[in-house]
C-alpha cells in the first residue's frame, strides 16, 4: 500500500511540473456541495489465491486495464462520497492442482465501489485524501475454455471492503488531475462444471488509476 501510494505521489509531483503558468492562479479549493465527474485509466490487479476443493491448487486471475468513470460529491469541504464505475475482463485458471494447471476461461467483473473520503487539506492545490468504503462486484459473461475439461464456470457476486488513498491537483478552477489507489478485500465463490469443483478465491485486488476530473 505505502509503495503504491508513493508512486501515486511521485506521479503527481511530476505532473505538477507540467502545469501551465495560469495554474498558478489563486486556488479555488474544495467546498461543500461541489460535484465532480472524472475519467481515468485504471489497472485492476488481483492478488490471486484461495482454495480449490477436490483437485487442490490455487485460483488465479489476470490483471486488467480499462477506462473508468467516477462521481464525487462533497458533503463538507473535507468530506466526500465517491462512486466508481468500470468493467474489466480477466482470464481465470487454477495453478498447481492435481490435474496440473487448469484453464478456466474468462470472466467480466463490474465492481462499483462507494467510498467515504477525508480530505485534510481541501483548500490546497495539492490535496491528498484517504477513504474507506464498500464494494459489490458483479461477475458476468463467464465462459469456460472449450479446449480444456471445463464447460461451465460460475463466479458468485460478492461484497468487499475497500481502503483508499489518493491525490487531487487543481490545474484550473474547474479542472483537477487525480491519482488514486484502492485495495479491495474480495473473496467470491466459484463453481466449475455445475459444482463438480468448488473454490473460494482470494482476489483482494489493487485498483490503481490516473485521470482528470471536472468540477461543477
Amino acid at each position: 500500500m505505502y509503495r503504491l501510494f508513493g508512486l501515486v505521489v511521485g506521479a503527481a509531483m511530476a505532473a505538477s511540473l507540467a502545469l501551465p503558468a495560469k495554474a498558478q492562479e489563486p486556488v479555488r479549493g474544495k467546498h461543500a456541495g461541489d460535484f465532480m465527474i472524472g475519467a481515468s485509466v485504471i489497472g485492476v490487479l488481483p492478488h490471486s489465491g484461495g482454495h480449490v476443493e477436490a483437485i487442490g491448487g490455487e485460483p488465479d486471475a489476470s490483471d486488467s486495464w480499462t477506462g473508468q468513470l467516477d462521481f464525487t460529491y462533497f458533503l463538507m469541504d473535507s468530506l466526500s462520497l465517491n462512486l466508481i464505475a468500470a468493467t474489466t475482463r480477466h482470464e481465470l485458471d487454477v495453478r498447481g492442482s492435481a490435474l496440473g494447471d487448469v484453464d478456466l476461461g474468462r470472466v467480466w467483473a463490474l465492481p462499483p465501489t462507494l467510498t467515504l473520503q477525508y480530505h485534510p487539506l481541501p483548500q490546497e492545490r495539492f490535496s491528498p485524501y484517504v477513504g474507506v468504503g464498500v464494494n459489490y462486484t458483479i461477475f458476468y459473461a463467464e465462459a469456460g475454455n472449450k479446449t480444456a475439461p471445463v464447460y461451465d464456470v460460475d463466479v458468485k457476486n460478492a461484497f468487499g471492503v475497500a481502503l483508499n488513498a489518493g491525490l487531487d491537483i487543481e490545474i484550473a478552477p474547474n479542472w483537477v488531475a487525480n491519482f488514486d489507489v484502492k485495495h479491495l478485500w474480495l473473496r467470491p465463490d466459484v463453481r466449475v462444471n455445475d459444482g463438480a469443483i468448488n473454490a473460494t478465491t482470494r482476489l483482494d485486488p489493487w485498483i490503481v488509476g490516473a485521470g482528470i476530473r471536472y468540477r461543477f
Side-chain angles (χ1 to χ4, degrees), residues 30 98 107 119-120 130 132 137 140 144-145 159 183 213-214 216:
K30 299 171 176 175
V107 66
H119 306 254
V130 293
V132 62
T137 298
Y140 66 98
N145 188 331
F159 281 99
H183 185 60
R213 290 172 168 176
Y214 181 79
F216 292 88

Side-chain angles (χ1 to χ4, degrees), residues 6 8 26 34 36 38 44 49 57 73 79 96-97 102 108 139 141 146 163 166 186 216:
V8 166
D34 281 355
M36 296 193 295
V44 179
Y73 179 75
L79 202 64
S97 78
V102 179
W108 286 81
F139 297 96
K146 300 187 184 303
L163 289 183
L186 184 64
F216 292 88

